[in-house]
Amino acid sequence: MAAPMSSEMSTSLLDDHVVNYINSKFTDNIRTIFNAKQLYEEARSKKESLEKKVSLASSEVPSEIKKAIKNAQTISKQIKKVGENQEAVRHDILDHLRIHKPMLDELTVLTQQVEELEQYTKYLSIVAKVEECSSQLQAALITESMGSAVEVFNSLTALYDSLDGSSCKNLVQFTKETILFWNKLLKDKIAAEFEDVLKAMRWPLVASTIKAPVVSNASEMKSRMQSLFKQLLQLVLPDTISIETQVSSPTLLNIPGLKPLILPLQLMLKPLKKRFKYHFYGKKQTNSLDKPEWYFTQVLSWIRDHNDFLMKNIQPLLKEAGHDSLNAKVELMRGLVILVMEKMVNDLPELVYDEHFFSHMVDEALLFDKELRLTYNYPSSEPGCLHVLSSGEAIDTWLIIEKRFAIQKIEAMLSSPTAWQSQYKDITDVDELKVPECGESFMTLLLTITDRYKPLPDVSSKLRFLGLQLELLEDFRVRVVQVMKQETHNPVGSCFCAILNTVHYVGEVLQEWSETVFFIQLMYQKSTHSQRMKKEKQGKAKGDRPRSLSLSQSADSSKLSEDLDISNLPTLNTTVFDDISDLFESLKVDMLKNSVSYVFTDFHARSQPYRKDRWISLPSQKDLMVTLGLSASACEMLLVLKDHLAVMEDLLSKPLFHKFWQRLAEKINKFILEEVILSNHFNEGGAAQLQFDMTRNLFPLFGEFTNKPETYFREVKEACTLLTLKTGSAILLKEVLYSALHEPKKDPNAKSADPKAALHEVGIYKISPSLAESILSMRTNLSVR
């Protein structure tokens, strides 16, 4: 059934198409019938064209198919022939391999033997080369040709470098031991002569009570010193050969960046090191735990005394030898600083049990490091004595002593009779903030702590000191709150205001500190440090080996962010003092609120006569114009307010007093509006009297603190404007307000008066239409609906 149905559907569609086509060509216009001949010609032309195309296709297709079949047969024959050729070649190759395989096996064995013999030859040639170099070095030492010996030694080290990565461990070890043997012999030989020459040149340049004789052959000695210095520079061991460190203390081995000095400067440092150990070790009087400044000062004097000699005689030699990155003065300072660090490590076990001695040593170490880096330009990247104070028991002891001293200082500040008195109360220009003595002393104490730990090289130590500062801030806040609670009974007294000034001052200083580069960096370091600790805890949970953050690690932020996912770091929209600053700010707000409430309560208590005044029965405005003055009932109220403002201006700092009078003005503005204006009715005289009291007496009290005090009493001022508005204008305004607020619109499309626009016309912007209507209803000279 499907096929007939499909055929019927096709026929139907075709009929529809024909009908639609004819309808499109022949319209209702009878003239379109003349288009039939043209339509017939077009159809016949199209039919003939289609018949030609079908005829052409039926004649060309068979020939094209035959041609394609013929090509396919040809290609198939070619493929078959290629396959036969490939099979023949494969058999030839297999035959060839079978014939020559024995010869290939023999050649492989011979090749391996040749390669093995070449390796033996090269191995033996290197051994022979090492032996040859040893013989040449021995001959050079016998003939004391040290220049030739150094050259041969350099060729020996170059040979060792060529063995880098070699699997011949015995050969590498043999060469290494040979280099170390000859290095020691050459170094001892040249070093002995170098030390003699230095001694003859009066090195080291130290003060002596005995006048040394003048060097007779100075130029010859200088030339010899330069030659020996260059030879010592060339006795450099390859990087892969480990040498013993110059540091005697195991504690210093954990400090990064502590590199050995170059050999000639090691020898130049040797007599200074000997003198240092002689004076500052053992039972010498100069070795005193309570006098660390002695060895600090001695080292600084040695740096100063030898600066010129090093820059004139040694620095050119380093530059000539290609060591442009080395600075002779810095190299000597590095060696002397290592002596100081070793001395500090040696003394620390005894110092930690004496707080006074330890504190003194910390002070001197901070001064020494500061002078070393600022005066003598010791690089900040080089380790210093503060690395010793940042590690182990030293930093723990330092923090304990710092905290104990700070707590004692805070207790002494707060118990002082002048704790809440300003040191600059007699100097107006300086005493704008009116900071009490204890507040300024406390922030000075925190600033001193910051200056002490700021140069520390270790992030963990800095963060621990920051934690101490935050702890001290919280302790100070709690103590201040305790004192404040004792003064709550008089929130406008001098002591209460002094506490409020202190709280404000601490908050302002913390805000300034939060914006400094040091504390911004510390916030970043704290964030990265926390993230590192979090990752290590996750690693421990997974069984990974944790990576501890060494106390001697550099505080460089680039090292801190190493291996950290920067995208996961918190944005630095917070500061290290945010939490404690919020607590001080909250305390300030509460105290200021108490002061404002106290003054307002007193003002409110004295305002009862004014609130109960008979505003409805006062004389007319014309009669008042002659005798208009301040209401008698307002005198006490305003006088009390004036006295309070004068006292608080004298006691509070300028920023605090500015907030105080603004908040007080806000409360008074609300009080006058609600309890005076909206609670009474006014005739013309009463309205004029109220306006006079406000604009000529209340507002001017605040005019001492701002050019436009009326802006803080907007509602009261506009209410007075409504009460004193001319009767006709007031009646019209009241009608507009009543219509807008109470009468329903009869015609939704009708345009009604805008109550806000009407208020704006008379200068009312702050008061709402409903409140304005209530105020107008307080007037007795307007008709009441």
Side-chain angles (χ1 to χ4, degrees):
M1 290 294 293
M5 286 180 68
S6 177
S7 176
E8 289 176 2
M9 288 176 66
S10 299
T11 303
S12 176
L13 290 174
L14 181 59
D15 292 344
D16 292 341
H17 177 72
V18 171
V19 171
N20 291 333
Y21 179 76
I22 292 174
N23 288 335
S24 66
K25 294 297 182 180
F26 302 98
T27 62
D28 295 338
N29 190 352
I30 195 170
R31 291 182 178 274
T32 57
I33 196 66
F34 296 107
N35 295 334
K37 184 176 181 181
Q38 182 182 355
L39 184 62
Y40 170 74
E41 293 295 335
E42 290 178 358
R44 189 166 62 86
S45 176
K46 192 172 182 180
K47 176 189 173 200
E48 291 176 355
S49 176
L50 291 174
E51 287 177 348
K52 288 180 181 180
K53 289 181 180 180
V54 171
S55 176
L56 181 62
S58 61
S59 62
E60 290 181 353
V61 168
S63 61
E64 290 293 332
I65 293 174
K66 290 179 181 180
K67 185 177 179 181
I69 292 173
K70 186 177 180 181
N71 290 336
Q73 291 175 348
T74 304
I75 292 172
S76 177
K77 292 179 181 179
Q78 292 176 353
I79 291 173
K80 185 176 180 181
K81 186 176 181 181
V82 169
E84 293 174 354
N85 292 337
Q86 183 263 343
E87 187 66 21
V89 171
R90 188 177 72 85
H91 285 295
D92 293 341
I93 291 172
L94 291 175
D95 294 340
H96 184 76
L97 289 176
R98 187 167 51 254
I99 295 171
H100 294 88
K101 188 176 184 308
M103 183 176 63
L104 180 63
D105 293 340
E106 293 177 3
L107 287 175
T108 301
V109 173
L110 291 175
T111 302
Q112 292 175 350
Q113 292 175 353
V114 170
E115 290 176 352
E116 188 175 352
L117 290 173
E118 286 179 349
Q119 291 178 356
Y120 291 152
T121 304
K122 187 175 182 181
Y123 189 98
L124 293 174
S125 67
I126 293 175
V127 173
K129 181 65 176 177
V130 172
E131 293 291 347
E132 181 184 354
C133 289
S134 297
S135 301
Q136 292 176 358
L137 285 168
Q138 185 176 8
L141 287 175
I142 293 174
T143 59
E144 297 188 353
S145 302
M146 301 311 298
S148 301
V150 170
E151 291 179 2
V152 175
F153 178 80
N154 287 334
S155 64
L156 187 59
T157 56
L159 180 64
Y160 178 82
D161 289 336
S162 67
L163 295 177
D164 186 28
S166 174
S167 59
C168 301
K169 296 181 180 180
N170 292 331
L171 179 61
V172 173
Q173 184 65 24
F174 168 71
T175 309
K176 176 181 176 180
E177 291 176 356
T178 304
I179 289 174
L180 291 173
F181 172 78
W182 288 113
N183 178 264
K184 186 177 185 307
L185 286 179
L186 291 173
K187 184 172 66 174
D188 293 344
K189 180 73 173 176
I190 300 175
E193 186 176 357
F194 185 67
E195 290 174 351
D196 291 340
V197 172
L198 288 176
K199 188 175 181 180
M201 295 180 68
R202 306 292 182 262
W203 175 273
L205 309 176
V206 294
S208 176
T209 55
I210 303 175
K211 188 175 180 180
V214 180
V215 181
S216 57
N217 52 347
S219 59
E220 181 182 347
M221 286 294 177
K222 182 178 179 181
S223 176
R224 185 60 184 156
M225 184 273 294
Q226 293 175 346
S227 176
L228 293 171
F229 189 94
K230 293 177 183 177
Q231 291 176 9
L232 288 170
L233 277 178
Q234 295 178 17
L235 293 180
V236 180
L237 291 172
D239 295 336
T240 53
I241 296 181
S242 61
I243 57 175
E244 294 183 359
T245 178
Q246 301 171 45
V247 179
S248 59
S249 173
T251 305
L252 301 184
L253 295 177
N254 296 325
I255 297 179
L258 205 61
K259 306 181 294 293
L261 302 179
I262 56 175
L263 180 57
L265 281 170
Q266 290 181 33
L267 299 174
M268 296 179 74
L269 182 67
K270 191 174 179 180
L272 294 174
K273 184 176 182 179
K274 184 176 181 181
R275 288 172 179 270
F276 187 90
K277 290 187 176 294
Y278 175 80
H279 288 291
F280 304 115
Y281 285 84
K283 296 182 179 181
K284 292 291 181 180
Q285 292 183 351
T286 49
N287 180 28
S288 176
L289 289 177
D290 62 336
K291 297 294 182 182
E293 63 269 25
W294 285 352
Y295 63 81
F296 286 130
T297 304
Q298 181 63 77
V299 167
L300 291 175
S301 66
W302 282 344
I303 294 172
R304 181 187 64 249
D305 295 341
H306 294 89
N307 182 46
D308 290 342
F309 180 89
L310 291 169
M311 299 311 294
K312 290 180 181 178
N313 299 295
I314 304 302
Q315 189 62 40
L317 298 178
L318 292 174
K319 187 175 181 180
E320 185 180 343
H323 296 281
D324 296 336
S325 60
L326 291 180
N327 185 297
K329 184 181 75 171
V330 172
E331 287 296 298
L332 182 69
M333 283 195 288
R334 286 205 307 114
L336 293 173
V337 167
I338 291 175
L339 293 180
V340 171
M341 294 167 72
E342 290 176 343
K343 171 63 177 172
M344 292 173 66
V345 170
N346 181 74
D347 292 348
L348 275 175
E350 297 181 60
L351 288 171
V352 292
Y353 295 106
D354 191 306
E355 291 186 0
H356 176 71
F357 288 173
F358 183 86
S359 299
H360 183 53
M361 189 271 288
V362 170
D363 293 337
E364 293 298 329
L366 290 169
L367 290 173
F368 171 76
D369 187 78
K370 182 178 181 180
E371 184 171 358
L372 192 67
R373 298 187 188 277
L374 295 181
T375 305
Y376 297 102
N377 299 318
Y378 188 61
S380 58
S381 58
E382 294 292 342
C385 60
L386 297 186
H387 282 76
V388 177
L389 295 179
S390 300
S391 60
E393 194 175 4
I395 188 65
D396 296 334
T397 305
W398 187 1
L399 283 164
I400 292 171
I401 295 174
E402 200 79 43
K403 181 178 179 179
R404 184 178 295 122
F405 170 79
I407 295 296
Q408 293 173 356
K409 191 75 173 176
I410 292 173
E411 291 175 349
M413 292 174 194
L414 295 174
S415 60
S416 171
T418 59
W420 302 108
Q421 296 179 12
S422 174
Q423 296 177 342
Y424 314 105
K425 58 183 178 181
D426 299 327
I427 309 175
T428 308
D429 296 338
V430 179
D431 200 34
E432 284 191 2
L433 294 178
K434 296 181 173 63
V435 185
E437 180 183 293
C438 66
E440 188 168 1
S441 299
F442 175 70
M443 296 312 292
T444 302
L445 173 65
L446 289 185
L447 181 61
T448 303
I449 294 175
T450 301
D451 291 338
R452 285 162 69 83
Y453 79 82
K454 183 183 286 188
L456 291 180
D458 171 41
V459 178
S460 298
S461 299
K462 288 182 180 180
L463 294 178
R464 291 179 69 182
F465 268 100
L466 175 62
L468 172 62
Q469 287 181 306
L470 296 175
E471 187 177 343
L472 294 175
L473 280 164
E474 175 60 16
D475 181 80
F476 182 75
R477 187 190 68 84
V478 171
R479 292 171 187 267
V480 167
V481 170
Q482 292 173 351
V483 178
M484 181 268 294
K485 288 181 178 179
Q486 299 173 5
E487 301 294 330
T488 307
H489 65 279
N490 186 18
V492 293
S494 59
C495 186
F496 190 90
C497 291
I499 296 172
L500 181 54
N501 287 334
T502 299
V503 172
H504 173 72
Y505 174 70
V506 172
E508 290 297 309
V509 173
L510 291 180
Q511 180 63 32
E512 291 181 9
W513 287 359
S514 298
E515 296 171 358
T516 59
V517 175
F518 174 71
F519 284 109
I520 291 174
Q521 290 176 341
L522 210 56
M523 183 64 201
Y524 171 77
Q525 292 165 353
K526 183 179 180 181
S527 301
T528 54
H529 183 68
S530 300
Q531 190 186 64
R532 186 187 293 271
M533 294 297 101
K534 184 178 179 180
K535 290 183 70 175
E536 289 183 0
K537 287 182 180 179
Q538 292 175 351
K540 287 181 180 179
K542 294 178 181 179
D544 298 338
R545 182 181 178 182
R547 293 188 303 164
S548 61
L549 183 63
S550 172
L551 288 176
S552 59
Q553 205 166 352
S554 171
D556 187 358
S557 60
S558 63
K559 293 182 181 179
L560 278 171
S561 60
E562 184 180 358
D563 297 332
L564 293 177
D565 185 2
I566 301 299
S567 61
N568 292 331
L569 286 179
T571 55
L572 295 182
N573 53 4
T574 59
T575 69
V576 291
F577 296 113
D578 274 357
D579 293 339
I580 193 67
S581 293
D582 290 343
L583 292 175
F584 275 97
E585 181 65 22
S586 176
L587 178 60
K588 181 183 75 174
V589 170
D590 291 342
M591 293 181 69
L592 194 61
K593 183 179 179 181
N594 289 341
S595 297
V596 172
S597 298
Y598 181 87
V599 174
F600 176 74
T601 301
D602 196 11
F603 173 82
H604 186 273
R606 311 299 177 100
S607 68
Q608 185 175 2
Y610 192 72
R611 286 181 283 133
K612 301 299 182 182
D613 215 338
R614 296 186 61 79
W615 303 99
I616 197 171
S617 60
L618 289 179
S620 65
Q621 188 173 0
K622 292 181 180 179
D623 297 336
L624 283 174
M625 290 302 293
V626 180
T627 61
L628 190 61
L630 176 64
S631 299
S633 57
C635 289
E636 183 183 7
M637 173 182 74
L638 295 180
L639 186 61
V640 167
L641 177 61
K642 181 179 179 181
D643 290 342
H644 278 307
L645 287 173
V647 170
M648 297 304 284
E649 184 182 17
D650 184 58
L651 294 178
L652 291 179
S653 64
K654 282 189 176 182
L656 276 177
F657 180 69
H658 188 70
K659 294 180 180 179
F660 170 81
W661 72 256
Q662 285 185 345
R663 296 184 183 185
L664 181 61
E666 182 182 350
K667 291 178 74 70
I668 292 176
N669 175 64
K670 184 179 180 182
F671 159 73
I672 296 293
L673 178 66
E674 294 178 354
E675 298 194 30
V676 176
I677 297 175
L678 294 177
S679 299
N680 292 281
H681 286 83
F682 299 84
N683 62 5
E684 290 185 3
Q689 182 64 56
L690 177 68
Q691 186 179 38
F692 182 84
D693 292 343
M694 296 296 105
T695 59
R696 302 292 294 276
N697 293 280
L698 176 62
F699 296 173
L701 287 180
F702 294 87
E704 299 180 19
F705 322 125
T706 176
N707 294 328
K708 293 184 177 182
E710 63 274 7
T711 57
Y712 297 93
F713 296 90
R714 292 277 300 277
E715 287 84 353
V716 171
K717 181 186 175 184
E718 292 182 359
C720 290
T721 301
L722 290 172
L723 291 175
T724 58
L725 194 64
K726 290 183 179 181
T727 305
S729 300
I731 293 174
L732 290 175
L733 179 60
K734 189 175 181 183
E735 290 288 342
V736 171
L737 294 176
Y738 184 85
S739 299
L741 296 174
H742 303 292
E743 292 183 355
K745 289 184 179 181
K746 297 179 180 180
D747 184 5
N749 298 323
K751 187 177 181 181
S752 59
D754 184 4
K756 290 186 178 180
L759 289 173
H760 291 172
E761 289 179 1
V762 294
I764 308 301
Y765 296 93
K766 185 71 174 178
I767 291 179
S768 65
S770 60
L771 181 57
E773 184 189 25
S774 300
I775 294 172
L776 288 172
S777 66
M778 298 293 105
R779 293 180 57 161
T780 59
N781 60 345
L782 301 182
S783 59
V784 181
R785 282 180 176 266

